[in-house]
Amino acid sequence: MSISEATFHELVDQTQRQIEDLLEATDLDFDLENSGGILTIICENQSQVIISRQAPLKQLWVAARSGGFHFDYDNEQQQWLDSSSAQPLAERLQAVFSEQAGESLDFSSL
């Protein structure tokens, strides 16, 4: 069952806030900017991770050095899953930040 547009926007907002809160709770140096549904995270080494909503597709997109990843919300599992590999968003973000920030961060609460 597809989620409504309103639910989609609520889920993206909630997910982006959770990611911001997790990053701000670390003692690492991240610059965060959230504007127009696009969360830009700048790591200390100036590399960027961009997490954006794609409303027409009802997807959450992650752009990182390692590539672009598209996530659909799975109502049954209540989490974002990669549209091609079914990898959870939390696992992908752990890999992305390990690569780009050189740190192991725990995103399991997403």
Side-chain angles (χ1 to χ4, degrees), residues 65-90:
R65 279 184 179 167
S66 54
F69 307 94
H70 304 164
F71 295 84
D72 295 307
Y73 191 77
D74 185 291
N75 280 320
E76 206 171 287
Q77 295 185 45
Q78 296 190 355
Q79 64 179 329
W80 294 98
L81 299 176
D82 187 293
S83 62
S84 59
S85 70
Q87 180 181 38
L89 176 63

Side-chain angles (χ1 to χ4, degrees), residues 1-92:
M1 173 181 236
S2 182
I3 59 175
S4 72
E5 188 171 338
T7 300
F8 165 75
H9 287 290
E10 288 173 23
L11 289 167
V12 170
D13 290 342
Q14 175 186 4
T15 301
Q16 288 182 334
R17 275 192 308 273
Q18 287 177 304
I19 292 168
E20 287 180 80
D21 290 346
L22 286 166
L23 294 174
E24 287 174 349
T26 71
D27 41 342
L28 302 173
D29 186 23
F30 293 107
D31 288 327
L32 306 173
E33 180 182 318
N34 197 338
S35 177
I38 300 171
L39 174 60
T40 303
I41 303 154
I42 303 170
C43 301
E44 191 172 354
N45 62 9
Q46 299 306 304
S47 69
Q48 296 184 14
V49 178
I50 300 170
I51 301 169
S52 62
R53 75 182 72 220
Q54 298 300 317
L57 301 172
K58 293 185 183 166
Q59 289 185 326
L60 182 68
W61 287 9
V62 175
R65 279 184 179 167
S66 54
F69 307 94
H70 304 164
F71 295 84
D72 295 307
Y73 191 77
D74 185 291
N75 280 320
E76 206 171 287
Q77 295 185 45
Q78 296 190 355
Q79 64 179 329
W80 294 98
L81 299 176
D82 187 293
S83 62
S84 59
S85 70
Q87 180 181 38
L89 176 63
E91 289 180 16
R92 172 57 58 197

